[in-house]
Amino acid sequence: MTEAVAHAADWTVPQAWADYTPAEHALWDTLFARQSRQAAVRAHPAFLRGLAALGLDQPGVPDFEALSRRLRRLTGWSVVAVPGLVPDAVFFGHLARRTFVAGRFLRAPGEADYLQEPDVFHDIFGHTPLLADPVFADYLQAYGEGGLRAEGLGSLQRLARLYWYSVEFGLIAHEGALKLYGAGIVSSHGESVFALDDPSPHRLGFDLRRVMRTPYRIDDFQQSYFVIDSFADLLDQTLQTDFAPLYRDLAAECDIHPTDLTPGDRIIHRGLQTHA
Ligand code: HBI
Ligand code: FE
């Protein structure tokens, strides 16, 4: 739910850290303990390094001011509070300026396992650790700048798919195994297991054009996951691309349903699609 609160032109609101209740701090601690245990064996080392570098293992909901002071020193990023989902143009503008917008509200105890709107646990636990990684930090700013360009090109849907299959639900190859780096997976108890272990979803080599042709579901586990070789490769694929001709090419190509495969796919795991 997005509280109907007044916000600035950039949609930011005060975090009002003092307003979190003891029950909310306790729920944060429960979610943090559970997900950091999973992340310890399933997430990429860069995520774990960020978690430690930002001091997120302190008890209670993090104070965005204190978190931003640490983050600025590492990669120049900071975290600001917003009431919930903000319009794309506002979102891209923040990313282009190295500010990450985080929901200030915390999910209800009954939503511990899944909620659709990004809350403070999804945004801070899921997204901020990789903002401490210099290469990923560059990627997300380049993504924001690309989004502002796409805004003019009427191709926000393509950019949203790129965000979804990398920043939110991306997998990465590491020392011969697959690891998590997508915020939507690493902050989810169920999907942290499903994304790596379940035989149902496809796991495919990341390819920018393929990702931009692939719709996604916002209400259930993904039917396809895309695997990058490194954050440097993800950054290169994004920086080196002139999006205008890419969007023109893509306009002539049909979407690929996330349960389907195409001849050009680098298939790491051919999913059974039993969960679909
Ligand atoms: N707003 N607060 C918030 N958080 C997001 O992750 C977010 C958003 N607005 C738009 C958006 N994400 C997506 O459309 C991106 O794919 C652009
Ligand atoms: Fe998110």
Side-chain angles (χ1 to χ4, degrees):
M1 51 54 192
T2 301
E3 306 133 57
V5 291
H7 52 72
D10 61 0
W11 284 64
T12 55
V13 292
Q15 183 189 9
W17 186 84
D19 293 354
Y20 291 113
T21 65
E24 284 178 310
H25 287 299
L27 176 56
W28 169 280
D29 292 342
T30 303
L31 293 169
F32 183 87
R34 189 180 71 174
Q35 289 319 111
S36 49
R37 241 192 330 273
Q38 280 193 315
V41 292
R42 295 174 174 276
H44 187 274
F47 179 89
L48 301 173
R49 282 197 297 273
L51 212 50
L54 297 180
L56 285 172
D57 49 355
Q58 308 293 322
V61 179
D63 179 322
F64 293 2
E65 293 277 318
L67 174 59
S68 295
R69 278 195 295 278
R70 286 170 178 244
L71 198 46
R72 265 191 214 96
R73 276 201 299 273
L74 292 166
T75 56
W77 276 83
S78 62
V79 177
V80 291
V82 289
L85 281 174
V86 304
D88 284 340
V90 174
F91 185 65
F92 291 128
H94 277 293
L95 295 184
R97 292 190 304 274
R98 294 205 174 213
T99 49
F100 191 82
V101 294
R104 72 161 304 281
F105 77 96
L106 182 65
R107 64 192 70 184
E111 296 175 303
D113 268 349
Y114 189 80
L115 82 164
Q116 207 135 318
E117 185 136 354
D119 74 334
V120 64
F121 184 75
H122 167 93
D123 280 327
I124 301 302
F125 180 87
H127 284 286
T128 62
L130 282 181
L131 295 180
D133 177 274
V135 179
F136 191 86
D138 287 353
Y139 167 68
L140 205 53
Q141 180 181 18
Y143 175 85
E145 291 164 348
L148 291 173
R149 284 198 303 276
E151 179 93 49
L153 299 167
S155 302
L156 286 184
Q157 183 193 63
R158 306 279 185 202
L159 254 282
R161 290 172 179 178
L162 171 57
Y163 187 86
W164 194 264
Y165 284 117
S166 61
V167 180
E168 292 296 0
F169 291 94
L171 301 180
I172 182 170
H174 179 68
E175 294 176 358
L178 295 188
K179 293 288 183 185
L180 306 174
Y181 78 93
I185 309 178
V186 76
S187 60
S188 158
H189 186 60
E191 199 152 2
S192 287
V193 176
F194 179 84
L196 292 182
D197 302 352
D198 199 290
S200 175
H202 297 314
R203 295 178 184 93
L204 308 171
F206 179 95
D207 172 87
L208 189 57
R209 305 168 69 92
R210 173 57 157 92
V211 161
M212 288 188 164
R213 293 177 59 194
T214 311
Y216 54 84
R217 300 179 56 167
I218 61 169
D219 57 353
D220 197 348
F221 294 162
Q222 298 310 305
Q223 295 153 314
S224 283
Y225 294 95
F226 292 89
V227 181
I228 60 172
D229 295 322
S230 69
F231 295 131
D233 180 54
L234 179 62
L235 179 62
D236 289 347
Q237 286 203 45
T238 309
L239 274 188
Q240 280 168 5
T241 304
D242 181 346
F243 283 94
L246 172 60
Y247 293 142
R248 266 198 304 281
D249 293 352
L250 288 172
E253 297 176 22
C254 59
D255 280 352
I256 300 161
H257 190 277
T259 56
D260 291 344
L261 293 172
T262 51
D265 286 338
R266 180 161 62 91
I267 301 175
I268 294 162
H269 169 77
R270 182 188 299 270
L272 305 177
Q273 296 304 336
T274 38
H275 177 79

